[in-house]
Amino acid sequence: MNRFLISTIGVMGATVIGTTISTQIISADSKPKTVTVGLVGDSDRQLWEYVKKDAAKKYNINIKLKLFTDYVKPNQALVDNSIDLNAMQTIDYFNEQNKHLGNKLVSIGKTYVTPIRMYSEKHKSLKDLPKGATIIVPNDGSNEKRALDVLQDAKLIKYDHSKKVPGVADITQNKKNFKIKEVNSEQTASALKGVDAGVVNTNYVLDAKLDIDKALYTEPVNKANKGYINIIVARKDKQNKKLYKQVVKTYQTEQTKKHMHDLYGSAEKAAWDIKLK
């Protein structure tokens, strides 16, 4: 075999090897990168199914959704590194839980806020509520405080804000002598039939198919209530990962707002660009 032929074969061989290596690198780079996101409840899963598709198209990210049945385990799973992110909690809830977990977690982006509302099947406006009207509120700690805030924002009562977990007994002003009755959160929607009005969490409103747009009063989204905004959470030592920032960017888009409206109507509001007053 002459020297030229050997040289040519060598060049061709190097080209083939180089091409093979290049193809392998491209193939490795184009392989989807997986991010596991912890969620609670089916309504959040529906929205994240859209985000999942958008992330695959935009950044070649494979978002894997892991559903939990309670609100405690997703934060523990994040601390244990069994998931990458979670998106299932408000700022207030997160702050409290993070203390118990050694402050190892951090918020990396806002998602939505679901204002709590006051409803009635008997009256069309707040001014129609008679003296002595019966108003129900959820009886669990965080939701009862939120319900009392709604009643106070609506100028129906005032309560003692020095109480860490306020209840009906802490109401300090009630000019119309409203009968404020505590019931289990999951019973608030069905209990509306027997009372004048009630504060009902949005998930129970949706389950009961109540008309959100006919609420007597809607909780304002402002600085005082910013703790009710929901967030995406990561481990503190991994908060700057480019991959996680891309997930947040995918969520915080006009496209996600459209998905949100298609799924929930006016029940939820995108929170990442809200200007709090």
Side-chain angles (χ1 to χ4, degrees):
M1 190 179 290
N2 67 41
R3 190 175 297 173
F4 174 76
L5 186 55
I6 292 171
S7 176
T8 304
I9 291 171
V11 171
M12 288 175 63
T15 304
V16 171
I17 292 168
T19 304
T20 304
I21 292 170
S22 175
T23 303
Q24 287 174 342
I25 291 169
I26 292 169
S27 177
D29 286 346
S30 62
K31 189 176 180 181
K33 300 166 286 286
T34 299
V35 176
T36 302
V37 181
L39 306 174
V40 175
D42 192 59
S43 60
D44 275 352
R45 181 196 62 76
Q46 288 178 299
L47 181 58
W48 273 90
E49 289 291 351
Y50 285 112
V51 178
K52 182 176 178 177
K53 290 177 184 175
D54 294 341
K57 288 178 186 175
K58 271 187 176 182
Y59 299 110
N60 199 27
I61 297 173
N62 172 33
I63 294 179
K64 183 179 177 183
L65 303 177
K66 183 174 175 60
L67 294 181
F68 292 85
T69 55
D70 65 60
Y71 286 88
V72 176
K73 290 177 183 174
N75 283 327
Q76 187 60 57
L78 205 49
V79 169
D80 296 341
N81 272 316
S82 56
I83 59 175
D84 299 303
L85 304 171
N86 71 41
M88 35 58 69
Q89 60 195 316
T90 63
I91 292 172
D92 279 353
Y93 181 83
F94 167 73
N95 288 339
E96 190 64 31
Q97 288 296 308
N98 200 25
K99 287 178 190 174
H100 296 305
L101 294 169
N103 292 308
K104 294 178 180 178
L105 308 178
V106 65
S107 167
I108 61 170
K110 296 174 183 174
T111 55
Y112 63 85
V113 61
T114 306
I116 198 169
R117 294 167 171 86
M118 186 175 176
Y119 298 87
S120 175
E121 294 192 5
K122 295 181 179 179
H123 310 290
K124 292 184 177 180
S125 69
L126 288 176
K127 65 182 181 181
D128 293 335
L129 290 174
K131 288 184 178 179
T134 299
I135 301 172
I136 55 172
V137 295
N139 66 359
D140 58 289
S142 60
N143 282 320
E144 183 163 9
K145 178 186 183 304
R146 196 172 180 183
L148 292 176
D149 282 337
V150 166
L151 297 183
Q152 183 165 280
D153 287 337
K155 300 187 178 358
L156 300 181
I157 64 156
K158 288 184 180 180
Y159 75 91
D160 184 356
H161 285 258
S162 69
K163 303 293 183 181
K164 189 173 182 181
V165 186
V168 168
D170 301 306
I171 293 173
T172 57
Q173 188 180 105
N174 184 357
K175 290 182 178 179
K176 283 195 169 184
N177 295 315
F178 295 126
K179 297 181 181 70
I180 314 298
K181 185 178 176 182
E182 298 164 321
V183 300
N184 290 337
S185 296
E186 63 270 20
Q187 295 175 352
T188 48
S190 59
L192 281 175
K193 292 183 176 68
V195 298
D196 291 282
V199 180
V200 186
N201 287 73
T202 303
N203 56 321
Y204 299 122
V205 169
L206 295 174
D207 289 344
K209 294 181 170 52
L210 297 177
D211 190 339
I212 285 172
D213 295 325
K214 290 184 179 179
L216 292 185
Y217 188 80
T218 299
E219 174 186 68
V221 182
N222 53 30
K223 286 182 180 178
N225 295 329
K226 67 180 180 181
Y228 301 132
I229 289 173
N230 285 260
I231 52 178
I232 297 172
V233 174
R235 279 183 61 98
K236 195 177 285 185
D237 57 359
K238 295 182 178 179
Q239 64 179 301
N240 294 317
K241 284 189 75 168
K242 181 180 178 181
L243 202 57
Y244 297 171
K245 290 181 178 181
Q246 288 172 333
V247 172
V248 173
K249 282 182 181 179
T250 304
Y251 194 105
Q252 295 179 344
T253 61
E254 291 301 314
Q255 187 70 6
T256 300
K257 284 185 183 180
K258 182 182 181 302
H259 297 323
M260 204 177 284
H261 185 269
D262 290 344
L263 284 170
Y264 316 120
S266 57
E268 287 185 0
K269 297 179 180 178
W272 57 86
D273 56 2
I274 288 177
K275 292 181 181 178
L276 301 176
K277 296 179 182 179

